[in-house]
């Protein structure tokens, strides 16, 4: 299966074991979502501490809603073992959709931890 350029780029930032699981996930999720007219992309992979701190600042010292509870050095994204997905319908990003829960179950079946099950900060795309 041919993956989009953004997904390939983000997978390449992960450690090798995470790359393999990300590929297994994205192929399974893409097949399941294609029937619903939805495309699945990996929209974020490894982040620098500075990138993570900028996300942490949102909703605190920077405009926008809170998107994470993890500062730089405390996110699995900083260590190449976490990624976020995005769902797209007709090229439009779906910020919220019940389909994230379906993808979360696919991720769990691949051995991933799904952020949609977190208690303190639910993160369905993670």
């Amino acid at each position: 299966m041919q993956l989009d350029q953004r997904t390939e780029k983000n997978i390449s930032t992960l450690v090798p074991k995470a790359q393999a699981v990300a590929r297994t996930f994205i192929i399974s999720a893409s097949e399941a979502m294609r029937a619903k007219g939805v495309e699945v992309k990996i929209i974020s992979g490894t982040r620098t501490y500075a990138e993570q701190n900028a996300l942490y600042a949102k909703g605190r010292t920077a405009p926008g809603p809170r998107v994470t509870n993890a500062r730089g050095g405390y996110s699995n994204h900083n260590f190449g073992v976490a990624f976020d997905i995005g769902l797209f319908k007709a090229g439009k990003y779906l910020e919220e959709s019940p389909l994230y829960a379906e993808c979360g179950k696919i991720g769990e079946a691949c051995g991933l931890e799904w952020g949609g099950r977190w208690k303190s900060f639910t993160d369905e795309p993670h």
Side-chain angles (χ1 to χ4, degrees), residues 21 25 29 40 76-77 81-87 95-126:
V21 177
F25 163 77
V40 184
N76 284 329
H77 283 280
V81 296
F83 59 89
D84 293 331
I85 66 166
L87 302 179
E95 194 168 321
E96 293 184 22
S97 169
L99 296 177
Y100 281 104
E102 288 187 41
C103 287
K105 290 176 186 173
I106 294 167
E108 289 174 329
C110 293
L112 296 167
E113 178 183 333
W114 177 45
R117 296 215 189 274
W118 296 344
K119 301 296 181 209
S120 64
F121 186 84
T122 304
D123 186 0
E124 289 191 329
H126 185 90

Side-chain angles (χ1 to χ4, degrees), residues 46-57 68 70-80:
T46 301
R47 298 183 190 130
T48 65
Y49 284 23
E51 289 169 328
Q52 188 65 36
N53 284 331
L55 288 174
Y56 181 79
T68 183
R71 291 185 167 134
Y74 294 92
S75 170
N76 284 329
H77 283 280
N78 297 136
F79 306 103

Side-chain angles (χ1 to χ4, degrees), residues 22-78:
R23 286 188 187 286
T24 298
F25 163 77
I26 198 70
I27 290 167
S28 296
S30 292
E31 289 173 359
M33 293 299 116
R34 187 177 306 118
K36 299 171 191 278
V38 173
E39 185 177 9
V40 184
K41 297 181 183 187
I42 294 179
I43 61 173
S44 179
T46 301
R47 298 183 190 130
T48 65
Y49 284 23
E51 289 169 328
Q52 188 65 36
N53 284 331
L55 288 174
Y56 181 79
K58 286 186 177 184
R60 293 175 176 89
T61 59
R66 287 186 182 195
V67 295
T68 183
N69 278 343
R71 291 185 167 134
Y74 294 92
S75 170
N76 284 329
H77 283 280
N78 297 136

